[in-house]
Amino acid sequence: MTTPSPAPESTIVDGIHYHQHDIVIVGAGGAGMRAAIEAGPNASTAVISKLYPTRSHTGAAQGGMAAALANVEDDNWEWHTFDTVKGGDYLVDQDAAEILAKEAIDAVLDLENMGLPFNRTPEGKIDQRRFGGHTAEHGKNPVRRACYAADRTGHMILQTLYQNCVKHGINFFNEFYVLDLIMGEIDGEERPAGVIAYELSTGDLHVFQGKAVIFATGGFGKIYKTTSNAHTLTGDGVGIIWRKGLPLEDMEFFQFHPTGLAGLGILLSEAARGEGAILRNSEGERFMERYAPTIKDLAPRDIVARCMATEIREGRGAGPHKDYVYLDITHLDPAVIDAKLPDITEFARTYLGVEPYTEPVPVLPTAHYAMGGIPTNVKAEVLRDNTTVVPGLYAAGECACVSVHGSNRLGTNSLLDINVFGKRAGNNAVEFVKDAPWVPLPDDPAAFVRGLVDDVRFATGTERIATLRKELQDSMDRNAQVFRTEETLDEVTHVIADLRERFKNISVQDKGKRFNTDLLEAIELGFLLDLAEVVVYSARSRQESRGGHFREDYPTRDDENWLVHTMAYLTGDAHSSLAGDHIRLDTKPVVITNYQPMERKY
């Protein structure tokens, strides 16, 4: 291991700050910091985040991180691979799933060695619990595979990774909002030259030149109103890649977590069902026994969410408006609840005024996770098309699509994904920069971002950002959530087109530079409109139901025509009125190694 030289001092030219690092990482959540731990000791590394790192959304993940440690029950990585493929409704690239499951064990042990305080068995081993879709012997019965730290596993991972980044002396640039990726050419080949960031505290622009750039910017759940995602998850990184003309993969597949607090979307972890919680309808029936008789409440999330929505549609919903079902943990020992589910129960008390010891908790599916995103190979290298790599550009975590989640991610595989592929991104970037040349910067690299920021700040229109955002989110909730049809998707397509036109007539009240949240939210809305449009356009095209994408007008899975990934390409002006004017869809083969598609029975 070599020790990198200290970060060079920044320079200021014409009011623009210039920085130079071998590796530039955009995003300081789990994937970004896991990449930094590999990159930092071996190359000059900068991590840029629009949040303080420990406020990143990884900290909201509750339930656990899957790995076939077999500490509690017999298990192996091949069963984990099978569950990942089957859970993803066979749209998973199986070579990537094998890597995920094999490297899961070392990923957990890495975190343990970094100091993460996992729950322990009486023998002192890392404890494990059940989670939806995880089984033994290729689906025969549920298995305890999720390694956990109470119901704060993501929080513990985030804190542990940050502490280790500090130990390695990683250069953090916190509250810097990356708004553009600079591309250049060497020997006729397009490569990243760096990124442009807006400093929230001053309004200054910063150019970060790098030989390699890693995107780890998380998801975009704020295209929906009812979501477990934080307000900052607006898809900035994915949107930047889209605007640069690079493709996005499988954007129609969005996961709706079954147990969000009714009316709020705040997440109640699947860990509750892993510990024995039961979903009940208004009649008190454990309805999942009818839909998934083998693993019941621990079926994959897409199945449980649809079953809940069906119960409500058929009149068995609870509450005054019959618009939710119940999560019941009243039969569990309060000592177990306090030890293993402290945050979940506190959320129910705080936000709904419900006492989980004695009352069932109202729950409803909530927009949770994007299975699609920036296409990468198993080395975390970003792809320009189905096979061509963009040298020096990497992506990992929820913003990326490798594709280990297919059309439906299994619970606990997200915390695993950020660690396995975050580590791979960091290691592969280090190898790349050893011999890679610097890509020359253009004469005025910040020109686009300067124009973007000024256009928004000094806009004199009449439309309010909050109004447009609410209309987008309401329409997405109404038309593109658990159930979809041609009619509903057509409606939201026209809503987005109208919002695009109105977005040209916005104004922000705050014309200042320091911590201008009005400006920030306006720029974020631009990304949300872009990504919601790609989600809906891809969903209209896919005429089947698979995983998180359920078309009531095409209710069955169609492997003959649709066992392929969707690849979306921007072909014209991203801000033209209709998606058909500027989005081209193509397909990409699914990598199948050992598991042929079969019916999903649970």
Side-chain angles (χ1 to χ4, degrees):
M1 179 182 292
T2 59
T3 302
S5 57
E9 293 293 324
S10 64
T11 58
I12 302 177
V13 180
D14 295 330
I16 306 296
H17 302 254
Y18 287 80
H19 312 258
Q20 192 177 70
H21 296 270
D22 294 325
I23 299 172
V24 176
I25 300 173
V26 185
M33 288 200 286
R34 189 65 189 85
I37 287 171
E38 301 303 317
N42 299 290
S44 172
T45 301
V47 180
I48 310 169
S49 174
K50 71 174 180 179
L51 296 170
Y52 189 74
T54 52
R55 293 190 63 209
S56 297
H57 196 60
T58 298
Q62 297 167 348
M65 176 173 164
L69 300 182
N71 284 353
V72 181
E73 296 176 336
D74 188 28
D75 199 3
N76 67 59
W77 68 266
E78 290 179 293
W79 298 346
H80 186 184
T81 302
F82 171 77
D83 290 337
T84 298
V85 172
K86 182 181 178 183
D89 219 349
Y90 296 92
L91 205 73
V92 171
D93 285 334
Q94 296 181 23
D95 57 341
E98 289 168 10
I99 289 169
L100 185 79
K102 280 182 181 178
E103 297 184 7
I105 295 166
D106 283 343
V108 169
L109 297 181
D110 283 348
L111 289 169
E112 182 184 35
N113 291 333
M114 290 181 199
L116 196 148
F118 286 108
N119 277 47
R120 299 283 171 173
T121 66
E123 298 78 31
K125 297 179 179 180
I126 295 173
D127 200 4
Q128 296 181 274
R129 61 182 168 206
R130 291 175 178 170
F131 240 78
H134 291 277
T135 67
E137 300 181 66
H138 300 97
K140 287 189 177 179
N141 50 272
V143 69
R144 290 176 170 84
R145 184 177 290 148
C147 308
Y148 65 97
D151 57 355
R152 300 171 179 140
T153 313
H155 174 79
M156 296 298 186
I157 288 175
L158 200 62
Q159 299 290 333
T160 300
L161 292 177
Y162 183 59
Q163 290 163 7
N164 280 269
C165 283
V166 171
K167 181 178 77 173
H168 289 303
I170 304 298
N171 301 292
F172 280 94
F173 295 86
N174 300 327
E175 297 184 326
F176 281 64
Y177 187 16
V178 172
L179 293 175
D180 193 24
L181 169 67
I182 314 164
M183 300 295 284
E185 278 195 9
I186 290 185
D187 298 328
E189 187 175 54
E190 191 177 42
R191 296 185 179 188
V195 299
I196 310 296
Y198 176 87
E199 186 177 1
L200 300 183
S201 64
T202 64
D204 290 352
L205 298 183
H206 293 251
V207 177
F208 291 86
Q209 188 178 16
K211 294 180 178 180
V213 175
I214 301 174
F215 274 79
T217 52
F220 44 91
K222 293 306 287 185
I223 62 175
Y224 291 95
K225 175 185 175 183
T226 306
T227 178
S228 65
N229 285 196
H231 289 289
T232 54
L233 285 184
T234 52
D236 315 320
V238 183
I240 288 169
I241 291 293
W242 175 246
R243 291 176 181 180
K244 301 309 287 189
L246 295 170
L248 300 180
E249 180 177 351
D250 287 343
M251 291 290 282
E252 64 268 42
F253 296 109
F254 209 97
Q255 181 172 89
F256 301 92
H257 195 293
T259 52
L261 287 178
L264 298 173
I266 296 169
L267 189 65
L268 296 187
S269 171
E270 203 166 309
R273 284 174 285 138
E275 297 295 342
I278 294 170
L279 289 165
R280 300 189 186 277
N281 58 25
S282 60
E283 300 165 7
E285 178 197 8
R286 185 180 189 178
F287 58 86
M288 284 306 301
E289 289 182 326
R290 282 190 275 113
Y291 298 100
T294 301
I295 57 177
K296 303 179 179 69
D297 303 272
L298 289 174
R301 290 173 176 174
D302 63 320
I303 293 175
V304 179
R306 284 196 296 277
C307 294
M308 292 169 63
T310 299
E311 290 295 299
I312 293 167
R313 280 183 162 195
E314 295 181 356
R316 294 183 292 277
H321 302 293
K322 297 187 177 296
D323 56 355
Y324 55 76
V325 298
Y326 289 120
L327 182 70
D328 183 9
I329 63 172
T330 58
H331 56 288
L332 299 181
D333 182 348
V336 172
I337 295 172
D338 290 343
K340 295 185 175 181
L341 305 171
D343 275 3
I344 292 171
T345 51
E346 193 58 35
F347 291 161
R349 294 182 186 112
T350 300
Y351 297 110
L352 292 184
V354 171
E355 176 45 68
Y357 288 166
T358 58
E359 301 173 85
V361 181
V363 292
L364 194 66
T366 181
H368 182 58
Y369 189 92
M371 271 77 73
I374 305 165
T376 73
N377 60 19
V378 295
K379 295 181 179 180
E381 297 170 311
V382 172
L383 299 175
R384 179 177 303 283
D385 50 38
N386 290 3
T387 57
T388 309
V389 166
V390 181
L393 187 58
Y394 303 83
E398 190 175 352
C399 73
C401 182
V402 60
S403 147
V404 287
H405 306 309
S407 61
N408 173 63
R409 176 179 66 76
L410 290 188
T412 70
N413 271 359
S414 59
L415 291 178
L416 178 57
D417 176 12
I418 62 176
N419 280 281
V420 168
F421 289 99
K423 180 179 180 178
R424 281 180 160 244
N427 282 329
N428 289 321
V430 167
E431 289 303 310
F432 177 82
V433 301
K434 286 180 180 177
D435 302 314
W438 293 96
V439 178
L441 294 171
D443 291 339
D444 187 3
F448 170 77
V449 173
R450 186 188 304 111
L452 172 68
V453 170
D454 286 348
D455 286 349
V456 173
R457 180 186 289 124
F458 301 118
T460 58
T462 58
E463 295 283 359
R464 299 293 299 274
I465 296 302
T467 302
L468 301 185
R469 184 176 61 234
K470 182 178 186 303
E471 291 185 26
L472 170 68
Q473 293 171 338
D474 286 346
S475 185
M476 290 294 290
D477 265 20
R478 189 169 58 250
N479 297 304
Q481 212 204 39
V482 175
F483 294 113
R484 303 164 175 182
T485 66
E486 181 75 23
E487 183 180 1
T488 64
L489 294 171
D490 186 60
E491 179 183 331
V492 71
T493 297
H494 286 90
V495 168
I496 293 171
D498 176 61
L499 292 173
R500 280 197 176 285
E501 287 300 310
R502 292 166 61 188
F503 186 67
K504 297 174 183 177
N505 188 39
I506 61 169
S507 68
V508 296
Q509 290 180 301
D510 187 350
K511 305 299 183 183
K513 288 189 172 184
R514 296 180 180 275
F515 290 111
N516 187 340
T517 55
D518 276 355
L519 174 70
L520 176 69
E521 289 174 1
I523 294 172
E524 288 174 335
L525 178 59
F527 288 125
L528 290 175
L529 288 168
D530 285 354
L531 298 180
E533 185 176 50
V534 183
V535 168
V536 172
Y537 197 64
S538 300
R540 287 180 69 186
S541 172
R542 184 174 285 270
Q543 297 179 342
E544 67 155 357
S545 291
R546 186 186 297 269
H549 170 70
F550 192 87
R551 287 283 299 264
E552 291 187 278
D553 43 356
Y554 298 96
T556 57
R557 193 180 79 196
D558 180 0
D559 289 337
E560 182 177 350
N561 296 302
W562 289 105
L563 187 61
V564 289
H565 298 294
T566 300
M567 299 291 283
Y569 294 83
L570 178 63
T571 59
D573 179 8
H575 301 107
S576 61
S577 298
L578 294 174
D581 295 338
H582 58 269
I583 297 176
R584 176 177 66 86
L585 297 182
D586 205 343
T587 61
K588 175 182 172 184
V590 176
V591 178
I592 296 175
T593 56
N594 296 319
Y595 304 109
Q596 294 298 318
M598 56 187 287
E599 186 180 356
R600 291 169 83 207
K601 289 184 179 180
Y602 288 96

